[in-house]
Amino acid sequence: MKARVHVTLKNGVLDPQGKAIEHALTALGFEGVNDVRQGKFIELDLAETDKDAARAAVEKMCKSLLANTVIENYSIDID
Amino acid sequence: MKARVHVTLKNGVLDPQGKAIEHALTALGFEGVNDVRQGKFIELDLAETDKDAARAAVEKMCKSLLANTVIENYSIDID
Amino acid sequence: MTAFENNIDITEDLIAEHGLSADEYQRVLDIMGRTPTLTELGIFSVMWSEHCSYKSSRLHLKKLPTEAPWVICGPGENAGIIDIGDGQAAIFKMESHNHPSYIEPYQGAATGVGGILRDVFTMGARPVANMNALRFGEPEHPKTRHLLSGVVEGIGGYGNCVGVPTVGGETNFHPSYNGNILVNAMTVGLADADNIFYCAAAGVGNPVVYVGSKTGRDGIHGATMASAEFTEDSEEKRPTVQVGDPFTEKLLIEACLELMQKDAIVAIQDMGAAGLTSSSVEMASKGDVGFELNLNNVPQREEHMTPYEMMLSESQERMLMVLKPGHEGEAEAIFRKWDLDFAVIGEITDTGNLTLTFDGDVVADIPVAPLTDLAPEYDRPWVPSEPKADIKAEDVAAPADLGDALLKMMGSPHLASRKWIWEQYDHMVMGDTIQRPGGDAAMVRVHGTEKGLAISTDCTPRYCYADPVQGGRQAVAETWRNITATGATPLAITNCLNFGNPERPEIMGQFVECLKGMGEACIALDYPVVSGNVSLYNETNGTGIHPTPAIGGVGLIADTSKMTTIAPKAEGEVLVLIGGGQGHLGASLYLDIIESREDGGAPEVDLDKERHYGDFVREQILGSKVSACHDISDGGLLVALTEMSLASSIGFDIDLGDNLPIHAAAFGEDQARYILSVTAAHAEQIVKDAQDENIPASILGKTQGTDLIVKGQMNIPLQQVLDLHRNWMPEYMRAEHSA
Amino acid sequence: MKSAVIVFPASNCDRDMAVALEKITGQAPQMVWHQESELPDVDLVALPGGFSYGDYLRCGAMAARSHIMKAIVDHGNQGKYVFGVCNGFQVLTETGLLPGALMRNRNLKFICKDVTLKVENNDSVFTRQYQHGQLINIPIAHHDGNYFADADTLKRLEDNNQIAVRYVDHNGEATKAANPNGSQHNIAGILNKKGNVLGMMPHPERLIEDALGGTDGRGFFESLMHSLN
Ligand SMILES: Nc1ncnc2c1ncn2[C@@H]1O[C@H](COP(=O)(O)OP(=O)(O)O)[C@@H](O)[C@H]1O
Ligand SMILES: [Mg+2]
């Protein structure tokens, strides 16, 4: 079973990476780039075959390792 | 218009971050984690209002900056 | 008066939430002559917080000695400044980022480094060295690994990126820090003595300029948070943490230093805790002028920010400047070149008020002088600490085997190598690190000269706990000794005073007494305090940390080719002990590690002896008679000798005699002592010269082979110590993610 | 020897590189800002270490797309010398002047320490002052030095003798333990096919005088000088 996790910075938290990318894109001549935010995308391959159990496990993984919940949000897709 | 870009490592490219997460998850007692891959998730807010034009622009951004096509793949969602 | 943004009721709850007592609020009313606006309340609240106003500590800080002929600027500015000759100055300061680092170790520590860097380059100095003094809970505590790992990564992440070497520090573990870790960061910079910048604003009509990053809602109330005791649920509340952007900081350093080469700046101040509020108030207050700021012009990262939020935001990487009229264009061009925001946000007025406008309304109008001059100052009640009962060596069991005891100590969390930490710091960038981490003091060469700055941070909290006066003395004396051991002359200190809740008389007593000891040492050693920082309320659920007055010392050597390290250079050198001692075991690491006891009194620090012996040692080093030198501190004589062996990969063969019980001779922590490694030709002479000056000196033995030998007591391979010493921390951290 | 050091926003070993070049070649390099579009007339272009653009997105990615890079790529393609150290190496792989990529260190940590290198190719303009197989000590200081290339590329590098230096132990063996960051084939530095472009993670400019801990780094600069004479 595959799980896909998106980890993104919470609203209002400074995103230096995103800001630098935005600058770079503009410097490269791309116009109309209003905002860029960078997050992480983590793909997990799990032995678990039950969807709900997998989600519950990944939820726990996010809380304990994958996301820094002080500044980051996460979302989970299971398929 | 929002664009969401996933940048992932190509198959066969070693992924130290993914490996480290996998190890850590196992050490934390999570069982059945077969594989972990870490990629980037980039959200762009664009002035462009035409979907096709936006996709074309982001495609160019990926090729010229957001992904290193020697080692990375990218995919684009526009909404 | 114009319409105020005053539709918010200033209720008792609101006042309490802002950390103002009823008396303090009454004082606000007296100053304002009316109910303050919310923005004004916020400004009073942060300016009068412990963190910004030093209300519990100010009275006592005033007693510290701050003067010497080489002091250019003592406490009160962003950082302290000393003259290092040839028209050059060293500018340095240490600061805490304890609470943020506990909540978010990576960002907390990173922004701590960013903040202290700004304090130093604000004054016109190029930062040349970073140091860090860290205290964590006991290794077994479930949070310790995570905190250690995050803090170290954060310090490295920030310092490495800005390209300032992190050259040393100290790391302790003790249960008293389980819920309150300490992250103290120090920066040393170099400037031309005739091109130093201060924060006093001047010149009515001069433009007030904002540069750096945009303002967001980061860390609003950070300053008040740093002043409140932790409770279990403040972890849950997770206040907005500031995220550091070292890339922007690097650009800010370069842009500011570039502008400082022009004749454009009247005054400059970084936006640290309480951001725009404390920077503008400080600049106005020091310059006895008013500031009028139009908050609509503040570069903003987020939408719909209120004046309150802008004034209290602790967004990082921002500075405030007053420019000479007509220099805006020149300055703007430089900041644009470095891709940084630049905005004129106001001007200097003659009103003496901090006047803030927003959307055409005046939203705050506070007289600056009373805001600063009438800030609360408390003479908090304190009680002297109970002196701990002394412990005689005879009453402590001797180790069954001296070698086993040594191995156990060298491989313990307290003495194990910190290489795992400093290898994550770029300690060589800038190309002038001539003494890397691992020795007594770090040394960075003054770029392009033969001069070197020796830097050391020290504090032995278990002594401060056992006896605050001696502990305060010892912290100062140890930095002085570490610097002396390199051949440099110690010149001045900065400090970071980390204590528990000052509203408890025992804690306040620790504070007062540590300061007393520090002051005595500074005077005796001619080693004044030029800057510092206080961090109180390091306390969780009523348990305070060990008193931890971390000291950062800076010294100067004129000719770096004379510098010594702790590594003997060859076999057959003679090991000379300078200084005497009774084998003091109270509050020692031996008691802690081998006997699992933390009792006993701290060793006495005889400041006259410190000065006398240290000056003698330095003279020998500068006279090129010494191959290596190490002061004796944690763990005593045998530990110090072993550290010299570890640094050189050369063993030793010594005799500890039988005047003292063996554990007292080997591990007693008597002060004012050094080990010199010298060629045979110099040894007798040094001992004789010392004795002629009434300094105890004796020959211990010599460097030799690859074993550590104490006559009749111990013979162990150096490799065995090396493995234990080197492996503890990496092995400990390997389990970082185990459940 | 005439040289130029390129300065990107948040380069931070630019001064170190300039000091080393001046000390060893006797001639101060010209410092060239990334927004320039032309290079001065120089023999060597040095890309220094640091965290250009904060190392955000990917190390060296944004620097590789800055204004001056086109001129540097031309300079390299003309067979003139280009030397990238640390971040400079990352920039060179991002521009394609050198093959492969530098990934996050195996242990995910920044590593600053002296490492032992073996000079595998002493037949280049950058390395001819060293002996073949000579072991030298040079510091590394990076977070992303884990060299990756696909199997074909690695084979080509090996076959063409393009591997300049490798991480080895004290016996000169390229062991896993001697590999600080997980680099494939223990690669620490590579040459392009023509041998006029060198990228390496270790910092030779940091070890050019005894006061700093040794002089093993001088050889790279001395080699260049001799190559030009
Ligand atoms: N957090 C740290 N960062 C960098 N270096 C450190 C750190 N902690 C300890 N060190 C280094 O480890 C060495 C030993 O530290 P310590 O035992 O405190 O020295 P001393 O007892 O001589 O003051 C010193 O060189 C010191 O700079
Ligand atoms: Mg010491």
Side-chain angles (χ1 to χ4, degrees), chain C residues 132 134 168-171 418 421-422 425 437-440 458 478 482 630-631 633:
Chain C
N132 60 112
L134 310 178
E170 59 177 336
T171 313
R418 273 51 174 140
I421 295 177
W422 76 65
Y425 302 151
D440 274 330
D458 292 280
E478 189 175 344
N482 280 335
H630 191 14
D631 78 310
S633 56

Side-chain angles (χ1 to χ4, degrees), chain D residues 162-227:
Chain D
Q162 280 172 253
I163 297 170
V165 279
R166 238 190 272 268
Y167 303 109
V168 296
D169 64 15
H170 296 299
N171 302 316
E173 300 297 328
T175 59
K176 187 169 178 206
N179 185 341
N181 52 27
S183 289
Q184 287 184 316
H185 294 209
N186 282 41
I187 287 172
I190 56 172
L191 292 153
N192 66 343
K193 194 155 176 212
K194 276 197 259 171
N196 62 308
V197 178
L198 171 65
M200 61 190 287
M201 288 313 296
H203 286 271
E205 81 281 9
R206 293 191 181 184
L207 225 52
I208 54 154
E209 52 173 322
D210 284 322
L212 297 175
T215 56
D216 282 3
R218 294 184 71 101
F220 293 94
F221 302 95
E222 285 165 354
S223 296
L224 282 165
M225 288 232 308
H226 286 268
S227 301

Side-chain angles (χ1 to χ4, degrees), chain C residues 126 149 153 156-157 159-164 244-248 250-251 337-339 419-420 422-436 445 447 563 733 736, chain D residues 7-16 19 23 33-35 50-56 108-114 139-143 203 205-207 209 211-214:
Chain C
R126 176 169 289 281
S149 150
E153 231 167 280
N160 300 344
C161 182
V162 296
V164 176
D245 180 1
F247 171 53
T248 297
K250 168 69 174 166
L251 305 184
K337 169 184 154 195
W338 291 100
D339 254 329
K419 192 159 168 248
W420 183 90
W422 76 65
E423 277 185 358
Q424 294 184 56
Y425 302 151
D426 190 336
H427 47 264
M428 298 179 232
V429 62
M430 297 188 87
D432 284 304
T433 304
I434 56 173
Q435 184 148 172
R436 299 183 192 178
R445 195 168 46 186
H447 193 68
M563 173 188 83
M733 289 310 295
E736 184 187 349
Chain D
V7 185
F8 300 105
S11 286
N12 62 34
C13 305
D14 45 331
R15 188 183 79 178
D16 306 1
V19 167
K23 237 178 207 156
W33 183 237
H34 67 115
Q35 276 168 341
F51 284 68
S52 59
Y53 297 90
D55 272 358
Y56 296 148
L108 304 192
K109 306 244 181 250
F110 188 95
I111 306 172
C112 177
K113 66 174 184 185
D114 287 348
I140 54 169
H142 61 246
H143 214 158
H203 286 271
E205 81 281 9
R206 293 191 181 184
L207 225 52
E209 52 173 322
L212 297 175

Side-chain angles (χ1 to χ4, degrees), chain C residues 516-533:
Chain C
K516 175 166 185 281
M518 282 170 54
E520 289 166 355
C522 290
I523 288 169
L525 302 172
D526 236 337
Y527 193 38
V529 177
V530 295
S531 57
N533 174 252

Side-chain angles (χ1 to χ4, degrees), chain B residues 14 16 20 40 64-66, chain D residues 57-58 65 94 103-104 108:
Chain B
L14 106 173
K40 287 179 199 125
S64 57
L65 179 71
L66 301 182
Chain D
L57 188 62
R58 292 183 310 279
R65 280 133 187 107
E94 279 281 341
M103 321 269 298
R104 183 64 26 125
L108 304 192

